[in-house]
Coordinates of all heavy atoms in Angstrom, one line a residue:
S1 N -47.8 -121.7 -96.5 CA -47.9 -122.8 -95.5 C -46.5 -123.6 -95.4 O -46.1 -124.0 -94.3 CB -49.0 -123.8 -95.8 OG -48.8 -124.3 -97.1
T2 N -45.9 -123.7 -96.5 CA -44.5 -124.4 -96.5 C -43.5 -123.6 -95.7 O -42.7 -124.1 -94.9 CB -44.1 -124.6 -98.0 OG1 -45.0 -125.3 -98.7 CG2 -42.7 -125.3 -98.0
Q3 N -43.5 -122.3 -95.9 CA -42.6 -121.4 -95.2 C -42.8 -121.4 -93.7 O -41.9 -121.5 -92.9 CB -42.6 -120.0 -95.7 CG -42.0 -119.8 -97.1 CD -42.3 -118.4 -97.6 OE1 -43.3 -117.8 -97.5 NE2 -41.2 -117.9 -98.3
K4 N -44.1 -121.4 -93.3 CA -44.5 -121.5 -91.9 C -44.0 -122.8 -91.3 O -43.5 -122.8 -90.2 CB -46.0 -121.3 -91.7 CG -46.5 -119.9 -92.1 CD -48.0 -119.8 -91.9 CE -48.5 -118.4 -92.3 NZ -50.0 -118.3 -92.1
Q5 N -44.2 -123.9 -92.0 CA -43.8 -125.2 -91.5 C -42.3 -125.2 -91.3 O -41.7 -125.7 -90.3 CB -44.3 -126.3 -92.4 CG -43.9 -127.7 -92.0 CD -44.6 -128.0 -90.6 OE1 -45.6 -127.5 -90.3 NE2 -43.9 -129.0 -89.9
E6 N -41.6 -124.7 -92.3 CA -40.1 -124.7 -92.3 C -39.6 -123.8 -91.1 O -38.7 -124.2 -90.4 CB -39.5 -124.2 -93.6 CG -38.0 -124.3 -93.7 CD -37.5 -123.8 -95.1 OE1 -38.3 -123.5 -95.9 OE2 -36.3 -123.8 -95.2
M7 N -40.2 -122.7 -90.9 CA -39.8 -121.8 -89.8 C -40.0 -122.5 -88.5 O -39.2 -122.4 -87.6 CB -40.5 -120.5 -89.9 CG -40.1 -119.5 -88.9 SD -40.9 -117.9 -89.1 CE -42.5 -118.3 -88.4
K8 N -41.2 -123.2 -88.4 CA -41.5 -123.9 -87.1 C -40.5 -125.0 -86.9 O -40.0 -125.2 -85.7 CB -42.9 -124.5 -87.2 CG -43.3 -125.2 -86.0 CD -44.7 -125.8 -86.2 CE -45.1 -126.6 -84.9 NZ -46.4 -127.3 -85.1
Q9 N -40.0 -125.7 -87.9 CA -39.0 -126.8 -87.7 C -37.7 -126.2 -87.2 O -37.1 -126.8 -86.3 CB -38.9 -127.5 -89.0 CG -40.1 -128.4 -89.4 CD -39.9 -129.0 -90.8 OE1 -39.0 -128.7 -91.5 NE2 -40.8 -129.9 -91.2
H10 N -37.3 -125.1 -87.8 CA -36.0 -124.5 -87.4 C -36.1 -124.0 -86.0 O -35.2 -124.2 -85.2 CB -35.6 -123.3 -88.3 CG -35.1 -123.7 -89.7 ND1 -34.0 -124.5 -89.8 CD2 -35.5 -123.4 -90.9 CE1 -33.8 -124.7 -91.1 NE2 -34.7 -124.1 -91.8
Y11 N -37.3 -123.4 -85.6 CA -37.4 -122.9 -84.2 C -37.4 -124.0 -83.2 O -36.8 -123.9 -82.2 CB -38.8 -122.1 -84.1 CG -39.1 -121.7 -82.7 CD1 -38.5 -120.6 -82.1 CD2 -40.0 -122.5 -82.0 CE1 -38.8 -120.3 -80.8 CE2 -40.3 -122.1 -80.7 CZ -39.7 -121.0 -80.1 OH -40.0 -120.7 -78.8
E12 N -38.1 -125.1 -83.5 CA -38.1 -126.2 -82.6 C -36.8 -126.9 -82.4 O -36.4 -127.3 -81.3 CB -39.2 -127.3 -83.0 CG -40.6 -126.8 -82.9 CD -41.6 -127.7 -83.5 OE1 -41.2 -128.7 -84.1 OE2 -42.8 -127.6 -83.2
K13 N -36.1 -127.0 -83.6 CA -34.7 -127.6 -83.5 C -33.8 -126.7 -82.7 O -33.0 -127.2 -81.9 CB -34.2 -127.8 -84.9 CG -32.8 -128.5 -85.0 CD -32.4 -128.8 -86.4 CE -31.1 -129.5 -86.5 NZ -30.7 -129.8 -87.9
A14 N -33.9 -125.4 -82.9 CA -33.1 -124.4 -82.1 C -33.4 -124.5 -80.6 O -32.4 -124.5 -79.8 CB -33.3 -123.0 -82.6
T15 N -34.6 -124.6 -80.3 CA -35.0 -124.7 -78.9 C -34.5 -126.0 -78.2 O -34.0 -125.9 -77.1 CB -36.5 -124.6 -78.7 OG1 -37.0 -123.4 -79.4 CG2 -36.9 -124.6 -77.3
R16 N -34.5 -127.1 -78.9 CA -34.0 -128.3 -78.4 C -32.5 -128.2 -78.1 O -32.0 -128.6 -77.1 CB -34.3 -129.5 -79.3 CG -35.8 -129.9 -79.3 CD -36.0 -131.3 -80.0 NE -35.6 -131.2 -81.4 CZ -36.4 -131.0 -82.4 NH1 -37.7 -130.7 -82.1 NH2 -36.0 -131.0 -83.6
A17 N -31.8 -127.6 -79.1 CA -30.3 -127.4 -79.0 C -30.0 -126.5 -77.8 O -29.1 -126.7 -77.0 CB -29.8 -126.8 -80.3
Y18 N -30.9 -125.4 -77.6 CA -30.7 -124.5 -76.5 C -30.9 -125.2 -75.2 O -30.1 -124.9 -74.2 CB -31.7 -123.4 -76.7 CG -31.6 -122.2 -75.7 CD1 -30.9 -121.1 -76.0 CD2 -32.2 -122.3 -74.5 CE1 -30.8 -120.0 -75.1 CE2 -32.2 -121.3 -73.5 CZ -31.5 -120.1 -73.9 OH -31.4 -119.1 -73.0
D19 N -31.9 -126.1 -75.1 CA -32.1 -126.8 -73.9 C -31.0 -127.7 -73.4 O -30.8 -127.8 -72.2 CB -33.4 -127.6 -74.0 CG -34.7 -126.8 -74.1 OD1 -34.6 -125.6 -73.7 OD2 -35.7 -127.3 -74.6
V20 N -30.2 -128.2 -74.3 CA -29.1 -129.1 -74.0 C -27.7 -128.3 -74.1 O -26.7 -128.9 -74.2 CB -29.1 -130.4 -74.8 CG1 -30.3 -131.2 -74.6 CG2 -29.0 -130.0 -76.3
Q21 N -27.8 -127.0 -74.1 CA -26.6 -126.1 -74.1 C -25.7 -126.2 -75.3 O -24.6 -126.0 -75.3 CB -25.8 -126.4 -72.8 CG -26.6 -126.2 -71.5 CD -25.8 -126.4 -70.3 OE1 -24.6 -126.6 -70.4 NE2 -26.4 -126.3 -69.1
K22 N -26.3 -126.6 -76.4 CA -25.6 -126.6 -77.7 C -25.9 -125.2 -78.4 O -26.7 -125.1 -79.3 CB -26.1 -127.7 -78.6 CG -25.7 -129.1 -78.1 CD -26.1 -130.2 -79.1 CE -25.7 -131.6 -78.6 NZ -26.1 -132.7 -79.5
Y23 N -25.3 -124.2 -77.8 CA -25.7 -122.8 -78.1 C -25.3 -122.4 -79.6 O -26.0 -121.7 -80.2 CB -25.1 -121.9 -77.1 CG -25.6 -122.1 -75.7 CD1 -24.7 -122.4 -74.7 CD2 -26.9 -122.0 -75.4 CE1 -25.2 -122.7 -73.4 CE2 -27.4 -122.3 -74.1 CZ -26.5 -122.6 -73.1 OH -27.0 -122.8 -71.9
A24 N -24.2 -123.0 -80.0 CA -23.7 -122.6 -81.4 C -24.8 -123.2 -82.4 O -25.1 -122.5 -83.4 CB -22.4 -123.2 -81.7
E25 N -25.3 -124.4 -82.2 CA -26.3 -124.9 -83.1 C -27.6 -124.1 -82.9 O -28.3 -123.9 -83.9 CB -26.5 -126.4 -82.7 CG -27.6 -127.1 -83.6 CD -27.7 -128.6 -83.2 OE1 -26.8 -129.1 -82.6 OE2 -28.7 -129.2 -83.6

């Protein structure tokens, strides 16, 4: 459950960065 939560956090953070064109992040 900890790994799933951590993976979800990274995915959501990546998607927010993608939406504002911070592609390297």
Side-chain angles (χ1 to χ4, degrees):
S1 58
T2 301
Q3 288 175 319
K4 291 180 181 179
Q5 181 63 25
E6 186 178 355
M7 186 177 71
K8 180 181 178 182
Q9 290 174 352
H10 285 303
Y11 173 78
E12 291 177 347
K13 186 175 181 180
T15 303
R16 288 194 297 269
Y18 185 95
D19 290 340
V20 295
Q21 300 182 5
K22 293 182 178 180
Y23 299 119
E25 182 178 340

